[in-house]
Amino acid sequence: MKRISLAVFAAVTVLAGAASAQDFVQSGTAAKLPQTEGKAIYNAICSGCHMPDGQGAVGAGQYPALAGNANLETPDYPIYLILHGQKAMPPVGDVMDDAQIAAVVNYIRHNLGNNYEGETTAEDVAAAR
């Protein structure tokens, strides 16, 4: 009886984890993230490492804070990292189109404790690809 209970608990845990993970990652066979707004894209692909509030984290790796990050003053830096990755940051530009990358760059530059000037456009991202 104990084995059955443990098996049921494990199955429920796995299924519950999978259901909640779908809120934050791409599901299905689409090649691109379905989210189009910067905050939604951030929550889907960035917040897992950089944290929902952008404060970063230290644990299995070191994930830099995006909140109050002077490297975000110009959009070129986050565009480059999204497209090409660096160290532990994987390149994630292939799962977003240029407008989605511009949206998430604008979100992190204008939110999370940042208030940098200027708007990033899809054309800016296309030029960096």
Side-chain angles (χ1 to χ4, degrees):
M1 184 69 162
K2 202 174 211 182
R3 284 186 187 180
I4 293 173
S5 297
L6 185 57
V8 169
F9 175 76
V12 168
T13 302
V14 168
L15 292 174
S20 63
Q22 287 179 345
D23 293 338
F24 296 101
V25 297
Q26 177 182 356
S27 61
T29 58
K32 302 286 183 194
L33 283 175
Q35 296 86 349
T36 58
E37 294 188 18
K39 183 176 183 177
I41 295 166
Y42 179 84
N43 288 332
I45 203 164
C46 310
S47 67
C49 295
H50 295 286
M51 301 294 110
D53 59 1
Q55 293 299 318
V58 176
Q62 185 170 358
Y63 308 98
L66 299 178
N69 188 328
N71 289 327
L72 301 178
E73 186 172 356
T74 64
D76 298 336
Y77 180 74
I79 291 171
Y80 178 86
L81 289 180
I82 290 167
L83 292 175
H84 305 290
Q86 181 177 331
K87 297 182 183 177
M89 167 78 183
V92 292
D94 288 345
V95 297
M96 293 182 273
D97 63 28
D98 296 343
Q100 289 170 306
I101 294 172
V104 77
V105 167
N106 284 325
Y107 176 76
I108 64 174
R109 293 185 68 240
H110 300 290
N111 295 281
L112 306 174
N114 300 315
N115 192 22
Y116 297 114
E117 293 183 16
E119 290 292 318
T120 303
T121 66
E123 291 76 23
D124 298 329
V125 177
R129 277 199 190 263

